[in-house]
Amino acid sequence: MSFVEYGDTIKDGDTAIVFLGHESMFPVKVQHGTVTQTKYGVIRHSTDLIGKKYGSKVTCSKGGWVFILHPTPELWTMNLPHRTQILYSTDISIITMMLELKPGSIVCESGTGSGSLSHALIRTVAPTGHLYTVEFHQQRAEKAQEEFREHGVEHLVTVTNQDVCKNGFGVSNIADAVFLDIPSPWEAIGHAKSALKAEGGRICSFSPCIEQVQRTCLAMEECGFTEINTLEILLRVYNVRTISLQIPDLGKASEDNSSTGFDSSNPSHQGSPCANLQQGTVQFKSGVPLREVVGHTGYLTFATKS
């Protein structure tokens, strides 16, 4: 099993996603002789998972059923164990695009955190690219290295435990892009410039506060970065619903129906606009925004090494 190469069947040692519904899923490490408890009953790894195809419908001991999905960076973002605040797919997608990443790209990242963005970056630069990720916290760095090994992507990533603001990324003049998600990114701009290739490399800094953005932009200008711009991604979801509205009585419906020969008793006319006029309401599909939406996550500042 690998997060960057699709596997057809579930194997012992794989990480799989148990899907109970769009709002209910969790990861599980498949192990021979192990069982997993769900609200629909027990899943026995030896008989219910190992050897089955990903996407299979598995019946639990209580008669309910779940789907077993192959892990992807998007599914992992929704289900990973949180060691820090993470980036979600809304921000990850624009980061990947604006950094101009592609298979074969070399990327430097700090900090690693829970590895949400890291998995997406690895999938984008595979199979010939590489991610150099730096994490200040030793336990988080070790856990990230363990997860990359379990997920079959350790050959595509190098995890370093050090302070990027003092010691940099450990590489020079090779990176196509640099991503910063640290409290004081302005202190690492010089190291980011050193890690980037000679010309045209891209940098992105994620910061939740506008004061951090201001200091980072000033540092970018001092280091000679160009095309500096900051943006914010806000996600607004709409639900499609059937809306019923009452038709105003304009006093001409009966006259118009008689003049056109409309027969309300004819079944073929029951669904027509005229029938709705006589009933006093009309139904149509409409997009309705959710009452609660995801608000501010952070500001994304992009720049280019000239």
Side-chain angles (χ1 to χ4, degrees):
M1 186 278 303
S2 172
F3 272 52
V4 297
E5 296 177 2
Y6 181 80
D8 190 42
T9 59
I10 305 171
K11 300 179 178 63
D12 188 14
D14 282 3
T15 298
I17 305 297
V18 179
F19 181 88
L20 294 84
H22 289 289
E23 302 298 330
S24 180
M25 64 185 87
F26 60 89
V28 61
K29 185 174 181 179
V30 180
Q31 293 178 317
H32 185 77
T34 303
V35 298
T36 297
Q37 295 283 350
T38 73
K39 63 181 180 180
Y40 300 126
V42 173
I43 301 175
R44 295 175 175 82
H45 294 200
S46 300
T47 57
D48 297 333
L49 299 183
I50 297 177
K52 300 290 182 65
K53 289 187 175 182
Y54 279 106
S56 297
K57 182 178 178 179
V58 174
T59 302
C60 304
S61 60
K62 293 182 181 179
W65 47 266
V66 298
F67 288 104
I68 308 299
L69 305 181
H70 191 285
T72 64
E74 290 77 18
L75 289 175
W76 185 245
T77 292
M78 298 171 63
N79 295 281
L80 58 78
H82 286 231
R83 300 182 288 273
T84 60
Q85 292 290 331
I86 68 169
L87 290 177
Y88 291 91
S89 297
T90 307
D91 289 315
I92 291 174
S93 59
I94 196 70
I95 291 170
T96 303
M97 183 189 73
M98 294 292 287
L99 290 182
E100 302 174 2
L101 301 182
K102 60 185 182 300
S105 296
I106 305 298
V107 186
C108 292
E109 174 198 25
S110 183
T112 312
S114 301
S116 174
L117 176 65
S118 303
H119 283 81
L121 295 178
I122 292 170
R123 195 260 310 272
T124 302
V125 304
T128 56
H130 200 83
L131 171 67
Y132 294 90
T133 182
V134 178
E135 173 57 50
F136 175 79
H137 194 274
Q138 182 179 354
Q139 284 74 26
R140 287 200 293 261
E142 293 173 352
K143 185 61 179 178
Q145 181 68 64
E146 179 185 342
E147 287 179 349
F148 293 143
R149 183 170 56 254
E150 291 178 351
H151 298 164
V153 297
E154 60 178 338
H155 61 291
L156 297 170
V157 58
T158 299
V159 181
T160 305
N161 173 221
Q162 63 185 28
D163 186 352
V164 70
C165 296
K166 295 181 179 179
N167 307 114
F169 294 94
V171 296
S172 299
N173 301 320
I174 65 169
D176 298 289
V178 170
F179 176 79
L180 298 174
D181 183 6
I182 53 178
S184 52
W186 55 89
E187 296 180 0
I189 298 300
H191 294 297
K193 182 178 180 180
S194 299
L196 287 168
K197 59 186 181 182
E199 185 177 359
R202 295 278 287 167
I203 183 175
C204 173
S205 175
F206 176 91
S207 297
C209 302
I210 195 63
E211 291 80 8
Q212 293 171 301
V213 174
Q214 292 171 333
R215 296 189 64 175
T216 303
C217 290
L218 290 175
M220 287 179 175
E221 287 183 337
E222 291 176 0
C223 288
F225 283 91
T226 59
E227 300 177 351
I228 302 173
N229 66 89
T230 300
L231 50 87
E232 180 183 25
I233 308 300
L234 299 177
L235 178 64
R236 191 176 189 186
V237 179
Y238 282 77
N239 283 338
V240 178
R241 298 179 181 176
T242 300
I243 304 297
S244 296
L245 291 181
Q246 189 171 6
I247 301 299
D249 184 7
L250 302 179
K252 296 183 179 180
S254 299
E255 180 181 345
D256 292 343
N257 290 345
S258 59
S259 62
T260 57
F262 176 79
D263 184 5
S264 61
S265 62
N266 189 338
S268 63
H269 293 162
Q270 293 299 317
S272 66
C274 294
N276 288 332
L277 287 174
Q278 288 193 339
Q279 294 171 0
T281 61
V282 62
Q283 293 183 340
F284 60 93
K285 297 291 185 181
S286 177
V288 181
L290 300 180
R291 293 184 178 181
E292 295 182 3
V293 299
V294 177
H296 170 75
T297 57
Y299 301 102
L300 294 169
T301 301
F302 296 91
T304 302
K305 182 179 179 181
S306 62

